């Protein structure tokens, strides 16, 4: 079953990490409203599945990858960091 994402929350630390890569929190929040996919985060295999990679597009078509972490609410996720999607990641979302 796909992860339902209705809300993304960005802490100040996450907003700073995104800003360092020229991504606004507003852009990151657009991903769940558009076509996206989630994958288990291969770099955190021992995190009990709490972290995922969210790969999607902004309203303007920019492809982004976010590391997100599950909260108590299964449809609300915390942004950890993010970057412009790589070629390989873009292929995943088509």
């Amino acid at each position: 079953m796909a992860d339902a994402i209705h809300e993304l929350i960005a802490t100040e630390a996450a907003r700073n990490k995104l800003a360092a890569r020229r991504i606004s929190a507003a852009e990151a929040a657009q991903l769940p409203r558009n076509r996206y996919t989630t994958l288990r985060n291969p770099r955190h295999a021992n995190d009990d599945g709490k972290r995922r990679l969210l790969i999607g597009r902004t309203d303007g078509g920019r492809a982004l990858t976010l590391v997100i972490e599950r909260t108590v609410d299964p449809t609300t996720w915390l942004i950890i960091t993010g970057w412009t999607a790589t070629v390989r990641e873009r292929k995943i979302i088509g």
Side-chain angles (χ1 to χ4, degrees):
M1 181 175 169
D3 296 308
I5 302 173
H6 295 159
E7 182 178 17
L8 290 173
I9 299 171
T11 64
E12 186 173 344
R15 285 191 303 269
N16 290 338
K17 290 177 182 180
L18 293 172
R21 294 186 170 120
R22 293 189 163 95
I23 301 169
S24 71
E27 279 184 300
Q30 294 170 8
L31 270 58
R33 295 192 309 250
N34 297 311
R35 185 172 160 182
Y36 72 87
T37 191
T38 57
L39 309 167
R40 288 195 73 152
N41 188 349
R43 292 186 182 222
H44 293 275
N46 298 325
D47 70 357
D48 298 328
K50 292 179 185 176
R51 287 196 176 177
R52 299 272 194 275
L53 295 181
L54 167 63
I55 306 168
R57 295 198 179 271
T58 65
D59 293 346
R62 185 176 180 193
L64 300 176
T65 300
L66 303 177
V67 177
I68 57 174
E69 186 171 299
R70 184 178 307 155
T71 66
V72 175
D73 178 348
T75 64
T76 301
W77 294 74
L78 185 65
I79 298 171
I80 305 302
T81 191
W83 54 85
T84 299
T86 65
V87 171
R88 184 175 180 187
E89 292 163 344
R90 281 188 216 117
K91 286 180 182 179
I92 292 170
I93 58 171

